[in-house]
Amino acid sequence: MILEMKVPSPGESIKEVEIATWLVKDGDYVEKDQAIAEVDSDKATLELPAEASGIITLKAEEGDAVAVGAVVCLIDTDGAKPSGSAPVAEAKPVAEAPKAEVKVEAPKAAPASTSYAANTPSPAAKKILDEKNIQPSDIVGTGKDGRITKEDAVSAIPSMGTPTGGNRGSSRTKLSMLRRKVAERLVAAKNETAMLTTFNEVNMTPINAVRNEYKDAFKAKHGGLGLGFMSFFTKAVTRALQLYPDVNSMIDGTDKIAYDFCDISVAVSGPKGLMVPVVRSAETLSFRGVEAEIKRLAIRARDGQITVDDMTGGTFTISNGGVFGSMLSTPIINPPQSGILGMHNIIERPIAVNGQVEIHPMMYVALSYDHRIIDGRESVGFLVAVKEALENPVELLMGGDAKKALEL
């Protein structure tokens, strides 16, 4: 029986997908539920599993845009599974071994290098080289027997102290549907919002002190779960959003939509690029809950298992460029949200404390916001509230009892 495999719908609003990679070849035998392709939508990369076992016939090429519901391959369920043969597999390297030992092509390079034509320019090439003041000996000819062609001379660059023998090739590849959609959204965010960024800095000494004191006990109590910075930042952000609700709202046409919950989008790096899964109702989660959810989403992103549902929604975004070494940046709003917090790397710097110069681990933080809906007072007040919570985490984020907040 011939089974037609059609593109399933990754989400309600998605009408087509792109074949990113075929994981099998035409004519291969596939097992039921085996991943046969990776498909890109404008929101996520998903694996396409085989619906039955049999011989597969591909009906679309890599890079093709395919409508949801269209046939992408056929599976002949009556096709017999090929039987492997161990002796043949073992004999293959033996048969190829003499080829590895006998290199008949290598000596051919020697006559070419001593040929009278090697590094000899054609008349047209010589004229160009003379104009550029380039010696023929400085160029590797690509013509017959190493002759320097006119094209070699045109592409040659005068040295002037700069080497000319490096690789100057280029390549062109089609952007994935996901990357194209990300590009569209980023341009739209710049063009359609009144984006502005405000900055502050955070003394990370108090958070480091809490982590150093409790991270081992936290890890032991919660099954190897680490106590990272993201839980502190997420709790600080949800607190600030409740203090400044305009930052937790967005514009829809002529209306303002305000949310009484905090769905925090967390930017993570995946094999297909930036992913922004959502931590739902983050204001209700404990430190353990935040760390567990972020770890779950990060693993799904790393393994290419993020779904559209994982990334749908979100009322505010946190982006941590510090893990890549970023010192300062202006993050771009994730529309239709109105704000995004950028974290950066932690650098020990001298600061004034009670009139004395001390060295402390400092982090710059940046809030990009849509000035159409968020005024300067709210944006600055929000970022100051985040800073205050991070510099006094036990009192403002843990209710004065770090052990209880960390469920130790």
Side-chain angles (χ1 to χ4, degrees), residues 218 225 230-239 242 261-266 278-297 397-398 404-407:
F218 186 87
L225 195 63
M230 282 303 298
S231 55
F232 289 92
F233 273 83
T234 302
K235 299 293 286 183
V237 162
T238 57
R239 172 182 177 271
Q242 292 169 332
F261 56 86
C262 302
D263 282 357
I264 305 300
S265 302
V266 180
V278 181
V279 178
R280 310 287 178 183
S281 299
E283 78 281 4
T284 67
L285 298 179
S286 64
F287 279 81
R288 184 195 62 80
V290 172
E291 291 290 355
E293 183 63 2
I294 290 177
K295 181 179 180 180
R296 182 186 73 85
L297 293 170
L397 300 179
M398 296 177 162
K404 183 178 179 180
L406 298 176
E407 302 174 49

Side-chain angles (χ1 to χ4, degrees), residues 171-175:
S171 62
R172 181 188 294 266
T173 57
K174 186 177 180 180
L175 293 175

Side-chain angles (χ1 to χ4, degrees), residues 265-316:
S265 302
V266 180
V268 298
S269 181
K272 295 291 183 177
L274 185 69
M275 304 286 181
V276 193
V278 181
V279 178
R280 310 287 178 183
S281 299
E283 78 281 4
T284 67
L285 298 179
S286 64
F287 279 81
R288 184 195 62 80
V290 172
E291 291 290 355
E293 183 63 2
I294 290 177
K295 181 179 180 180
R296 182 186 73 85
L297 293 170
I299 291 174
R300 289 178 65 82
R302 181 197 65 195
D303 296 342
Q305 298 176 343
I306 283 288
T307 66
V308 173
D309 289 340
D310 289 328
M311 297 192 292
T312 300
T315 62
F316 187 88

Side-chain angles (χ1 to χ4, degrees), residues 91-368:
K92 187 175 180 181
V94 176
E96 292 183 349
K99 294 181 181 180
E101 295 172 3
V102 181
K103 295 291 185 180
V104 295
E105 296 179 357
K108 290 182 180 179
S113 63
T114 58
S115 169
Y116 73 92
N119 292 107
T120 300
S122 67
K126 186 176 187 306
K127 182 176 185 297
I128 296 172
L129 294 178
D130 289 342
E131 292 173 352
K132 291 185 175 183
N133 195 26
I134 299 176
Q135 295 298 319
S137 59
D138 294 335
I139 300 176
V140 177
T142 62
K144 184 178 180 181
D145 294 327
R147 182 182 291 275
I148 299 173
T149 65
K150 179 181 178 181
E151 288 74 19
D152 295 332
V154 169
S155 61
I157 301 175
S159 64
M160 298 181 66
T162 302
T164 60
N167 181 11
R168 294 178 53 78
S170 63
S171 62
R172 181 188 294 266
T173 57
K174 186 177 180 180
L175 293 175
S176 69
M177 184 177 290
L178 176 61
R179 176 51 61 183
R180 295 199 301 270
K181 188 62 177 181
V182 168
E184 290 174 8
R185 288 169 62 86
L186 292 177
V187 172
K190 295 284 286 185
N191 292 340
E192 299 173 8
T193 65
M195 195 175 78
L196 191 63
T197 305
T198 184
F199 303 93
N200 215 313
E201 62 179 359
V202 176
N203 185 344
M204 300 295 287
T205 299
I207 288 180
N208 284 345
V210 173
R211 291 183 68 242
N212 290 338
E213 184 174 356
Y214 297 110
K215 64 181 180 182
D216 291 338
F218 186 87
K219 191 172 186 177
K221 177 68 179 292
H222 301 301
L225 195 63
L227 179 60
F229 293 112
M230 282 303 298
S231 55
F232 289 92
F233 273 83
T234 302
K235 299 293 286 183
V237 162
T238 57
R239 172 182 177 271
L241 288 175
Q242 292 169 332
L243 293 173
Y244 296 91
D246 279 351
V247 185
N248 198 41
S249 60
M250 58 187 67
I251 290 179
D252 183 15
T254 58
D255 297 331
K256 169 185 171 182
I257 303 176
Y259 299 96
D260 56 6
F261 56 86
C262 302
D263 282 357
I264 305 300
S265 302
V266 180
V268 298
S269 181
K272 295 291 183 177
L274 185 69
M275 304 286 181
V276 193
V278 181
V279 178
R280 310 287 178 183
S281 299
E283 78 281 4
T284 67
L285 298 179
S286 64
F287 279 81
R288 184 195 62 80
V290 172
E291 291 290 355
E293 183 63 2
I294 290 177
K295 181 179 180 180
R296 182 186 73 85
L297 293 170
I299 291 174
R300 289 178 65 82
R302 181 197 65 195
D303 296 342
Q305 298 176 343
I306 283 288
T307 66
V308 173
D309 289 340
D310 289 328
M311 297 192 292
T312 300
T315 62
F316 187 88
T317 296
I318 300 176
S319 177
N320 185 6
V323 297
F324 303 110
S326 172
M327 178 182 178
L328 190 62
S329 67
T330 55
I332 298 178
I333 296 170
N334 181 22
Q337 297 173 18
S338 298
I340 178 173
L341 179 74
M343 302 167 56
H344 300 92
N345 61 357
I346 301 172
I347 299 293
E348 289 195 341
R349 296 200 304 271
I351 62 172
V353 179
N354 297 325
Q356 301 294 321
V357 176
E358 298 181 6
I359 304 296
H360 284 270
M362 305 296 293
M363 175 193 286
Y364 289 121
V365 288
L367 172 70
S368 292

Side-chain angles (χ1 to χ4, degrees), residues 16-19 60-67 70 174 177 180:
E16 70 174 13
V17 299
E18 184 177 280
I19 305 298
E61 301 289 338
E62 291 185 359
D64 285 355
V66 184
K174 186 177 180 180
M177 184 177 290
R180 295 199 301 270

